[in-house]
Amino acid sequence: MIPKALIFDVDGTLADSERDGHRVAFNRAFAEAGLDWVWDVPLYGDLLAITGGKERIRHYVERYRPDFRAPGDFADLVVRLHAEKTRHYAALVAAGIPLRPGVRRLLEEARGRGVRLAIATTTSPDNVTALLRHALAADAERWFDVIAAGDVVAAKKPAPDIYHYALERLGLAPTGCVAFEDSENGLRASLAAEITTVVTVNDYTRNHDFRGAALVLEDLSEVDLAALGALLAAPRPAPRRSSGSGRSSR
Ligand code: XBP
Ligand code: MG
C-alpha cells in the first residue's frame, strides 16, 4: 500500500526558508519604510509562534513596540509592509533558497507512481509559487493538484482549516494521506484534520512538542512511498492532549 496523496507544508518543510528568507525580507521591508524594527535570529524564533506574516507583524508591535503610533492607519501599514516583504522574499528565493534533503526525490517518486500532491501552508500564494519555480522546476506548480495557501482560510495553523480546505479540494478523506510538517503549530493543524503526519525538524523547531506525529526525522532523505505506506498501515500514535505540558516528547 502506498499513500493516496502527500500534503506538504512549505516553510521549514520543503525548504529552510524562515531564517534567511522570510526573516530577512521582513527586515528589508521595515528598513525601507524607515522603521527601526530589526528581527534578529533568536527573536524571529519567538515570533514564529505566530503564523502568518501580517499576524506576526501585528503581534510584534503589540508585544515589543507597544508605544508605536502609525503615521496613518495601522492596518494599512501592516498590509503595505507585508506586500513589500513579499516582494523582497521573492527576490531572495530567486537568488537561491534550496529544497531540503530528500524533498525532490520524494516528490519525483510520487509523481512517477501517480500519488497526488498538495500544499497546505500559511504563507502567501506568491511565496509558494516563487519557491516552487526557483527551487523545484519551472513547471512545478503543475506538479500539485492543490495549492492551499495564506488567506484562503480565515484561521491559520494551528487551526486545521487549511488542511480541511486541501482535502476538500483533493476530494479525499484524511485516511490514506500523509502530511509533512516542521513545526508544532503545523503538526497541531494536520493532526486536528486527522492526517498521519511526518515531521522533519529544523533549528527553529527541534525542541517543539511533536507528540502525535507518526515519525519525527532530521529530513526526508531516507523516506520513500513504501515507508509512508507502512506508516499508514501501523497503529496510530497516541493522540495529543491539549492540556499537555513539556516541550518535547522525543
Ligand atoms: C509559515 C509562516 C508564514 C511565513 C511568512 O508557516 O508562518 O507566516 O513565515 O509567510 P507554515 P507570509 O510553515 O506553518 O505554513 O509572510 O506570506 O504570511
Ligand atoms: Mg512550516
Side-chain angles (χ1 to χ4, degrees):
M1 171 173 128
I2 60 171
K4 290 194 187 92
L6 308 183
I7 309 176
F8 289 85
D9 169 50
V10 173
D11 296 305
T13 302
L14 291 184
D16 256 327
S17 49
E18 292 289 7
R19 194 191 68 180
D20 300 332
H22 290 291
R23 184 186 68 87
V24 175
F26 281 113
N27 284 332
R28 287 186 183 172
F30 300 153
E32 221 171 49
L35 296 164
D36 66 347
W37 306 349
V38 178
W39 291 1
D40 62 19
V41 172
L43 172 62
Y44 193 67
D46 294 341
L47 295 173
L48 279 173
I50 308 299
T51 58
K54 294 187 286 292
E55 292 82 351
R56 194 169 295 145
I57 296 171
R58 282 197 289 270
H59 166 79
Y60 170 75
V61 173
E62 277 163 26
R63 169 93 169 65
Y64 297 90
R65 300 282 175 159
D67 298 331
F68 175 73
R69 294 289 166 266
D73 184 57
F74 179 60
D76 287 348
L77 174 67
V78 171
V79 168
R80 271 186 284 118
L81 284 171
H82 190 252
E84 285 307 304
K85 175 260 166 178
T86 301
R87 192 173 58 75
H88 286 296
Y89 180 76
L92 288 160
V93 166
I97 292 183
L99 297 176
R100 294 192 64 189
V103 168
R104 172 183 293 279
R105 193 199 32 72
L106 183 59
L107 291 174
E108 286 175 347
E109 187 190 3
R111 268 166 58 91
R113 307 258 326 252
V115 174
R116 299 172 71 196
L117 295 173
I119 278 179
T121 178
T122 295
T123 202
S124 310
D126 286 351
N127 298 342
V128 182
T129 308
L131 184 76
L132 293 180
R133 282 194 192 148
H134 288 284
L136 189 54
D139 70 339
E141 268 171 284
R142 292 207 294 275
W143 294 24
F144 295 85
D145 284 354
V146 175
I147 296 184
D151 297 329
V152 299
V153 290
K156 292 185 174 164
K157 298 174 188 178
D161 302 32
I162 197 74
Y163 277 103
H164 287 149
Y165 178 90
L167 288 171
E168 193 185 308
R169 297 278 311 279
L170 284 166
L172 289 174
T175 329
C177 298
V178 179
F180 298 84
E181 279 288 353
D182 70 302
S183 69
E184 184 173 339
N185 277 331
L187 177 66
R188 286 171 61 190
S190 59
L191 291 183
E194 296 183 16
I195 307 174
T196 295
T197 305
V198 173
V199 170
T200 51
V201 300
N202 57 57
D203 286 345
Y204 273 136
T205 66
R206 204 167 294 284
N207 296 318
H208 285 191
D209 178 355
F210 292 126
R211 276 173 295 177
L215 202 56
V216 180
L217 300 167
E218 274 301 313
D219 59 48
L220 289 176
S221 51
E222 304 290 325
V223 175
D224 61 10
L225 292 176
L228 297 174
L231 284 183
L232 289 172
R236 289 208 159 200
R240 297 170 64 90
R241 280 178 225 283
S242 50
S243 59
S245 58
R247 294 288 294 168
S248 178
S249 64
R250 288 184 303 134

